[in-house]
Amino acid sequence: MTSNSYTEVLNGSAPVDFSGIPVLDYDHFYDEVTAMLSDERYHCLNYFCYRTEAGLKFICFMADDESGKVRLLSHVKRDDGIPLRSITGQYYAMHIFERAIHESQGVTFEDHPWLKPVRYPHDRTDRLSAIDNYPFFEMEGEELHEVGVGPIHAGVIEPGHFRFICNGERVLHLEMQLGYQHRGVERLFTEMSDGLRRSILAENIAGDTAVGHGLAHAQVIESLAGFVPPASLQAERCIALELERIAVHIGDTAALCGDVAYQLGQVACEALRTMVINTTQLWCGNRFGKGLIRPGGSNYPLNDDVTLEILKVIDEVERRYSNVTDCVYTLPSVLGRFEDIGTVTRRQASAIGTVGMAARACGIPRDTRVTHPFQYYRYIMVTPVILEGGDVLARGMLRALEVKESVKIIHRLIDEWEKSVKETGKPLYDFSFKPGSLAISVTEGWRGEICHVVLTDSRGRIDHYRIKDPSIHNWMALALAVRSQEISDFPVCNKSFNLSYCGHDL
């Protein structure tokens, strides 16, 4: 549907002619977006711009969590050097999008409170803006000191720098500097003409979310091609997504236990995670689900032997994991390190645009499996887990409860798969795309909503590919969580979010 101000689409629906998206003057655009952001039912999925003959064309994707629709709004800016009024000044959730636009295209946003680099792409507008001269926030005071952590870390993780300002052991402020390995992933999608290579690239956007990003990519490609996947394939994809959620949540529980020296919980959860990822390996030959999700079909269609193994393993894992978490979340020594530590309030989480499990742990019912359903989630009941505490304990317990819910979902999906006609064919890598079109795909990865957007040119070739990993919304939640905490609580706060460096560094 198109109004005078926006075009409405559904997640994963047929592509739209982007020339038909209403182009507003900026004041009208500003008023429309801020009016939506004033209502918690709306949040921004993505906002970016690209260069055209008329100037920079901006497209904003506003998700309506009540209707399940996504509103597309646009405006055009000439290369006149005149700054735009910053939306971030009113709604901080937009800060990361405006910062990325400023860095990549040189657009200045007037009254933006934090107009700093995001990723340091090689083709950034200001080449003098370098990782070594990042303008960290500073505070003065004889009793204050700074502590730097990273960019090289003890674990096998991506680089990122954390700068703390402390008064003694108490953290007053934390600022994260990312973008050490700007990988040019979005550009690679436009340069590749081979569908298989694009699929492999998609599942490597964030290594712990191979299924989530792989599915977002397959879905947007199928949308552009007008391909509707059969019910059996849709169910299989959702099963894989829930297995990924279970595996990561249990692995994160292990890490949380390790951060507070509860080794029994750590090793027990590590063993259970291995059972889950080994089941994914049995299915497709890779423990992380790489190779499983492909546009148009699958090289590893589900079969009766695999479904029997999945059901056997998840039931055993749920039983044993419940026993472990009963111990974890009743042990006083653990609760003393989790409860009331790293609290983010619902008001804060809403203001900064938090998504996924980090939002649900603060009482915000944001789960795109429910609000913007995709694949077989359109046909089954999903009950999102919502907790109110917003602390490390809530983020830990939410993982435990989501594992239980994911096990129920997999049982429902396998029941539906068994009743369906098995139509899962081989992957298709030579789709033809509709020219001059825009398609949007959203999936609910284990961290939260993943958004892939593709625009095609007049010949049907991929012209722009934009990716949003949920971590870009949630890094600020970590910064808020550690305020007024002991700096020694940072590791457990950090792990309770487990955000992605590489998913941010596109």
Side-chain angles (χ1 to χ4, degrees):
M1 185 190 84
T2 300
S3 75
N4 292 330
S5 300
Y6 52 80
T7 296
E8 285 186 329
V9 298
L10 292 172
N11 180 21
S13 63
V16 298
D17 181 347
F18 61 72
S19 65
I21 301 171
V23 179
L24 312 178
D25 65 77
Y26 186 70
D27 287 340
H28 187 183
F29 174 89
Y30 180 95
D31 291 343
E32 288 282 345
V33 172
T34 55
M36 282 183 258
L37 290 172
S38 68
D39 187 338
E40 197 176 84
R41 68 184 274 188
Y42 296 99
H43 70 281
C44 184
L45 286 173
N46 218 328
Y47 178 37
F48 59 83
C49 68
Y50 58 94
R51 193 162 295 280
T52 69
E53 291 182 359
L56 292 173
K57 182 161 186 176
F58 294 70
I59 304 180
C60 185
F61 302 78
M62 297 297 298
D64 181 346
D65 291 343
E66 286 190 10
S67 72
K69 296 178 180 178
V70 179
R71 293 183 175 181
L72 280 56
L73 305 89
S74 73
H75 67 91
V76 173
K77 184 185 188 309
R78 292 179 297 166
D79 293 321
D80 52 15
I82 299 174
L84 296 176
R85 209 169 18 144
S86 172
I87 300 174
T88 304
Q90 284 200 58
Y91 297 100
Y92 190 78
M94 298 295 288
H95 83 98
I96 195 72
F97 300 115
E98 291 187 336
R99 287 170 59 194
I101 291 168
H102 171 69
E103 183 176 29
S104 64
Q105 300 293 346
V107 177
T108 299
F109 290 93
E110 199 170 45
D111 298 326
H112 191 293
W114 204 254
L115 202 57
K116 299 184 180 186
V118 177
R119 291 172 174 148
Y120 299 95
H122 71 89
D123 56 351
R124 59 191 180 276
T125 302
D126 182 5
R127 297 308 300 268
L128 297 178
S129 172
I131 204 93
D132 293 335
N133 59 22
Y134 180 87
F136 282 103
F137 181 75
E138 296 179 348
M139 298 172 66
E140 295 183 357
E142 292 184 359
E143 297 180 346
L144 304 184
H145 65 281
E146 293 185 348
V147 178
V149 177
I152 306 304
H153 299 271
V156 185
I157 59 176
E158 299 288 319
H161 181 71
F162 298 83
R163 182 72 60 88
F164 298 85
I165 300 176
C166 300
N167 184 343
E169 293 295 307
R170 186 166 65 93
V171 177
L172 302 182
H173 179 77
L174 165 63
E175 186 170 353
M176 282 81 69
Q177 180 194 36
L178 305 173
Y180 283 84
Q181 285 186 327
H182 183 73
R183 297 177 293 158
V185 173
E186 293 171 327
R187 180 183 293 273
L188 284 173
F189 274 111
T190 65
E191 295 173 350
M192 290 178 175
S193 58
D194 182 87
L196 174 58
R197 292 181 66 195
R198 285 197 295 257
S199 296
I200 294 171
L201 179 63
E203 62 192 11
N204 286 281
I205 290 169
D208 57 12
T209 318
V211 176
H213 275 288
L215 179 52
H217 171 72
Q219 190 166 262
V220 79
I221 292 298
E222 291 168 351
S223 174
L224 281 172
F227 177 85
V228 179
S232 59
L233 179 58
Q234 292 185 39
E236 291 171 25
R237 290 169 167 178
C238 295
I239 291 167
L241 193 62
E242 295 306 319
L243 284 173
E244 182 171 76
R245 192 183 318 279
I246 291 170
V248 177
H249 280 350
I250 294 176
D252 281 355
T253 305
L256 284 168
C257 290
D259 277 340
V260 297
Y262 182 42
Q263 290 185 318
L264 175 61
Q266 179 183 359
V267 297
C269 287
E270 286 172 348
L272 294 174
R273 171 185 175 269
T274 299
M275 290 175 64
V276 179
I277 61 178
N278 282 352
T279 305
T280 302
Q281 184 177 37
L282 172 70
W283 184 357
C284 69
N286 184 280
R287 298 198 300 170
F288 304 106
K290 292 183 178 181
L292 182 56
I293 307 297
R294 293 289 184 262
S298 175
N299 289 314
Y300 305 98
L302 202 56
N303 58 53
D304 292 335
D305 291 339
V306 173
T307 57
L308 286 173
E309 183 65 16
I310 290 172
L311 292 173
K312 183 180 77 172
V313 169
I314 63 172
D315 287 345
E316 176 69 8
V317 166
E318 181 191 19
R319 181 184 67 80
R320 292 168 57 180
Y321 182 61
S322 293
N323 291 337
V324 174
T325 53
D326 284 347
C327 294
V328 172
Y329 298 116
T330 58
L331 194 65
S333 60
V334 173
L335 293 177
R337 293 294 310 280
F338 286 4
E339 195 169 14
D340 297 326
I341 300 297
T343 300
V344 179
T345 68
R346 174 172 179 148
R347 182 178 179 182
Q348 288 174 320
S350 178
I352 64 176
T354 309
V355 300
M357 55 163 293
R360 296 193 291 274
C362 300
I364 299 174
R366 190 161 287 166
D367 187 328
T368 56
R369 292 173 299 174
V370 178
T371 57
H372 298 80
F374 53 96
Q375 302 294 312
Y376 213 86
Y377 294 117
R378 299 186 184 99
Y379 313 115
I380 64 169
M381 174 73 70
V382 175
T383 304
V385 178
I386 311 295
L387 297 178
E388 302 288 338
D391 56 2
V392 171
L393 179 61
R395 291 186 286 276
M397 290 187 66
L398 186 130
R399 286 173 164 85
L401 295 172
E402 285 201 347
V403 167
K404 289 179 177 290
E405 181 61 25
S406 289
V407 169
K408 293 177 184 176
I409 291 170
I410 290 174
H411 273 276
R412 294 186 201 119
L413 288 166
I414 289 179
D415 285 343
E416 294 295 316
W417 176 84
E418 289 175 339
K419 292 184 290 186
S420 68
V421 178
K422 310 305 183 289
E423 299 179 287
T424 300
K426 289 294 184 181
L428 299 171
Y429 300 118
D430 56 352
F431 282 122
S432 295
F433 303 140
K434 185 178 179 182
S437 298
L438 178 153
I440 179 171
S441 167
V442 181
T443 61
E444 185 71 19
W446 67 266
R447 280 191 184 93
E449 65 186 35
I450 296 165
C451 179
H452 287 214
V453 177
V454 178
L455 282 73
T456 60
D457 63 16
S458 59
R459 296 169 60 185
R461 298 173 302 186
I462 293 178
D463 198 25
H464 298 281
Y465 199 111
R466 302 289 179 167
I467 304 159
K468 187 205 70 177
D469 184 86
S471 294
I472 72 162
H473 292 285
N474 293 348
W475 278 109
M476 186 54 66
L478 172 61
L480 294 175
V482 299
R483 287 188 181 177
S484 298
Q485 299 291 151
E486 300 291 312
I487 194 170
S488 58
D489 286 325
F490 170 69
V492 73
C493 288
N494 188 19
K495 180 51 64 177
S496 71
F497 289 97
N498 192 10
L499 303 176
S500 176
Y501 299 77
C502 58
H504 179 283
D505 200 5
L506 303 172

